[in-house]
Amino acid sequence: MNHPSAPAEADLTVDGTGLLCVTLLLRLRRRIGDAPPGTVVHVVATDPAAPLDLPAWCHMTGHTYLGTVPGREHVYALRLSADARATRPDAPWHPLPRDAETPEADKSGSPP
């Protein structure tokens, strides 16, 4: 899978060491809630499913998956999008129906 190159520096780091992806996505969603579009996020994830789950979550939400960070084991990068799709606060792997989204929804996918 081809992705834009992952920058070595992050604006925000979310440490999910030891977490399953379900819990990691809950933490990630909370942490990016106030971050502006364009923010580069590094996600530390040791769950073996992370290389599949993080790109899938980015595809679903509209954030840009940048891939693994060179020279850093278990670190993945993504860039927050201005037009991210809102997700459920208790289940960030489930998008909100389009009619439930509002222009004021933050870019983590949480409604106002």
Side-chain angles (χ1 to χ4, degrees), residues 71-97:
R72 308 264 321 269
E73 189 174 15
H74 305 296
V75 180
Y76 307 89
L78 57 101
R79 181 173 289 112
L80 302 183
S81 171
D83 57 350
R85 181 149 187 210
T87 60
R88 288 180 31 194
D90 62 332
W93 50 93
H94 290 289
L96 289 175

Side-chain angles (χ1 to χ4, degrees), residues 47-66:
D47 184 333
L52 300 172
D53 288 350
L54 288 170
W57 184 79
C58 286
H59 177 76
M60 179 191 71
T61 60
H63 296 302
T64 303
Y65 180 71
L66 301 173

Side-chain angles (χ1 to χ4, degrees), residues 9-111:
E9 298 299 318
D11 301 312
L12 174 67
T13 299
V14 177
D15 188 355
T17 303
L19 300 178
L20 294 175
C21 277
V22 169
T23 309
L24 171 63
L25 290 176
L26 288 165
R27 180 176 290 180
L28 175 60
R29 187 182 182 284
R30 272 193 315 270
R31 291 287 313 278
I32 65 173
D34 294 330
T39 297
V40 173
V41 181
H42 281 184
V43 180
V44 182
T46 54
D47 184 333
L52 300 172
D53 288 350
L54 288 170
W57 184 79
C58 286
H59 177 76
M60 179 191 71
T61 60
H63 296 302
T64 303
Y65 180 71
L66 301 173
T68 57
V69 176
R72 308 264 321 269
E73 189 174 15
H74 305 296
V75 180
Y76 307 89
L78 57 101
R79 181 173 289 112
L80 302 183
S81 171
D83 57 350
R85 181 149 187 210
T87 60
R88 288 180 31 194
D90 62 332
W93 50 93
H94 290 289
L96 289 175
R98 291 280 184 200
D99 60 347
E101 294 181 30
T102 66
E104 298 82 26
D106 69 37
K107 300 311 168 208
S108 69
S110 58

